[in-house]
Amino acid sequence: MKRLIYFITLTLVLVSCGSRSGYFSFEGRLLNLNQGEFYVYSPDGVFNGVDTIKVDGGRFTFETPCKQEGTIMIVFPNFSEQPVFAEPGKTVTIKGDALHLKELEIEGTDVNEQMTAFSQRIAKVSPPEVLECAEQFVKDNPQSAVSVYILRKYFVLPKIEENSKDLKKAEELVNVVAKAQPKNGNVARMVRYLKVAGSGVTGSRMPSFTATDVYGKSVSDANLRGKVAVVYSLANWSYESRNMHGRLTRLKKEYGDKLALLGISLDASRQSCKNMLRIDSVSAMVVCDQMMFQSPFVELFAIDGVPANILFNAQGHIVERNVELNEIESKLKVLLN
C-alpha cells in the first residue's frame, strides 16, 4: 500500500513539474482578452507549419512534440510576437495583460524567466537604452538562448548602414556568443551572414544568379534588372512573411512589369511552398531549394530571417533593406512613380 501511494505521489509530482516526455507545452491567461486566437510557429524546427491557439475566457493552452530545445513564436492579433523557449518534457505558464503584451511573465524554465526579466526591463527604458540593455545582456549571458534571440532581433536583422558601424557591433556580439555556443547552428548562420552582409549595404549592386523556381522555370537576375525589384524571404510557417508576400503580389498586380518580385522560400518542402502560393492571383517568382537557412541564396543576398526584404531600384542598386511591412507599399510607390 505504501509503495502504491509512493508511485501515485511521484506521478503527480512529475506531471505537475513538466509536460509529457518528448513534449513541450505552455498554458496561459491574459486579462482584457476574453476570446480570440493566436498563431504559433517555430523558426528553428520545433514543429513544422503554422498552428492556431484558441483563447477562451482569457485562457489558452498549447502542446507539441519536442525532441530538442528550440523557439516557438506566438503571434498576437496585433501582429506583435512573443518568443517562448521550448525544452523537451517542460511546461511553462504565461500570464499578463493583453493591453501590455510587451510585459508578459513566462515562468517554468530558467531561459523563459530570463526572457521575462529582459522584456520587463526594456519596457521601462527609452529606445536608445533598449540597445544598451540588449548589448549588456548578450555580454553577460553569451551561453543563453535568449542572447541568440536578442542578437537576431536587435543587431543582425535591423538595417545595415553604409558606415558599417552597426555591422561591426553585430559581429562583435555574435563572436562572443559563438565562442560560448560553438555547436549552435543558428549562431553559425549569423556568423556566415555577417561575413557577406558588408556587400549588401545600401548602394550595392544586385548579385548575379541563376535558379529554377518552384514550377521548374529558369529565373535569373536578368528577370529583375531594369525594374524596381524586391527580393524577400518567406515561409509557410511565418504568418508575417505570408502577409508581406500577399501585399507585394497585390502591388505586382497594380504595377505589372514595372515591378519584379523574387521570393526565397525557406520551407523544408517545395510542396509546402506550392500549397501556400496557390492562393495567389498574381504569379510571383519563388525559389525553394528545400535547404532552408543553408540555401546559397541566404548568403548571396545576406538574408538571415523570415521575413526579410531588399528593395532595388531600376538601376539594380540596393535602396533599402528590411523595410517594415506597414512602410513597404509607400516606399515602393515612391520608386515606381
Side-chain angles (χ1 to χ4, degrees):
M1 184 66 177
K2 289 183 178 180
R3 181 172 295 181
L4 177 60
I5 294 173
Y6 169 79
F7 279 117
I8 292 174
T9 303
L10 178 61
T11 300
L12 290 172
V13 169
L14 290 174
V15 169
S16 65
C17 290
S19 182
R20 293 185 290 162
S21 177
Y23 285 77
F24 171 77
S25 64
F26 58 77
E27 54 189 33
R29 182 180 184 184
L30 293 181
L31 300 175
N32 293 308
L33 179 66
N34 186 36
Q35 292 184 321
E37 62 181 24
F38 307 146
Y39 292 104
V40 288
Y41 69 92
S42 174
D44 47 18
V46 175
F47 61 90
N48 295 322
V50 180
D51 209 340
T52 302
I53 301 176
K54 298 292 184 182
V55 182
D56 188 10
R59 297 181 181 275
F60 56 93
T61 60
F62 179 76
E63 183 181 62
T64 182
C66 179
K67 297 181 180 180
Q68 60 186 17
E69 295 179 2
T71 310
I72 296 173
M73 301 300 296
I74 303 176
V75 184
F76 295 111
N78 66 352
F79 303 119
S80 65
E81 295 188 337
Q82 172 67 46
V84 178
F85 299 96
E87 298 177 39
K90 298 291 186 178
T91 294
V92 299
T93 59
I94 304 172
K95 59 182 179 180
D97 191 327
L99 301 179
H100 302 281
L101 292 173
K102 293 182 179 180
E103 301 177 44
L104 295 181
E105 295 183 17
I106 306 180
E107 300 176 338
T109 64
D110 291 343
V111 66
N112 282 294
E113 289 168 10
Q114 272 190 330
M115 186 72 229
T116 295
F118 175 77
S119 297
Q120 292 180 342
R121 181 182 179 188
I122 64 174
K124 300 175 182 177
V125 301
S126 64
E129 292 176 304
V130 170
L131 284 180
E132 294 177 7
C133 292
E135 180 179 350
Q136 194 60 51
F137 183 96
V138 171
K139 289 179 177 179
D140 291 343
N141 306 277
Q143 77 291 341
S144 172
V146 178
S147 289
V148 179
Y149 170 79
I150 288 174
L151 274 176
R152 181 188 294 271
K153 178 177 176 62
Y154 294 101
F155 299 100
V156 175
L157 289 186
K159 304 166 189 173
I160 301 168
E161 302 297 336
E162 284 190 80
N163 60 20
S164 72
K165 179 181 178 181
D166 294 338
L167 179 59
K168 289 180 180 178
K169 175 61 66 177
E171 288 177 333
E172 173 192 340
L173 294 174
V174 167
N175 288 334
V176 169
V177 176
K179 185 176 181 180
Q181 303 185 47
K183 296 183 179 180
N184 189 314
N186 290 324
V187 178
R189 283 191 289 272
M190 284 192 277
V191 170
R192 292 198 303 271
Y193 164 77
L194 291 173
K195 285 182 179 179
V196 300
S199 62
V201 298
T202 301
S204 299
R205 290 191 61 82
M206 180 186 299
S208 300
F209 68 90
T210 57
T212 302
D213 73 5
V214 292
Y215 301 109
K217 182 180 178 181
S218 295
V219 297
S220 71
D221 54 290
N223 296 102
L224 307 181
R225 295 190 185 279
K227 306 172 183 179
V228 173
V230 184
V231 176
Y232 59 102
S233 63
L234 71 160
N236 195 27
W237 41 262
S238 169
Y239 175 82
E240 191 175 357
S241 77
R242 289 186 287 128
N243 194 11
M244 182 175 69
H245 173 75
R247 292 199 185 189
L248 288 172
T249 54
R250 286 195 295 273
L251 283 172
K252 171 68 174 173
K253 184 176 181 180
E254 179 180 349
Y255 287 97
D257 289 339
K258 292 174 64 178
L259 175 63
L261 304 177
L262 175 66
I264 299 173
S265 169
L266 299 185
D267 283 306
S269 163
R270 188 174 289 114
Q271 187 58 52
S272 177
C273 179
K274 285 184 178 180
N275 292 341
M276 175 179 59
L277 298 176
R278 283 177 182 168
I279 63 174
D280 291 339
S281 59
V282 177
S283 178
M285 294 184 295
V286 177
V287 174
C288 181
D289 56 18
Q290 304 179 114
M291 297 177 67
M292 302 184 74
F293 283 97
Q294 302 299 325
S295 170
F297 283 96
V298 168
E299 292 191 12
L300 183 66
F301 288 99
I303 288 174
D304 188 44
V306 180
N309 59 69
I310 310 170
L311 275 57
F312 294 89
N313 61 22
Q315 290 72 47
H317 293 97
I318 295 177
V319 175
E320 200 162 349
R321 300 180 64 96
N322 294 331
V323 179
E324 295 291 338
L325 187 59
N326 59 359
E327 297 179 357
I328 199 164
E329 292 189 33
S330 60
K331 297 276 187 181
L332 283 175
K333 286 180 179 180
V334 171
L335 288 172
L336 289 163
N337 290 325

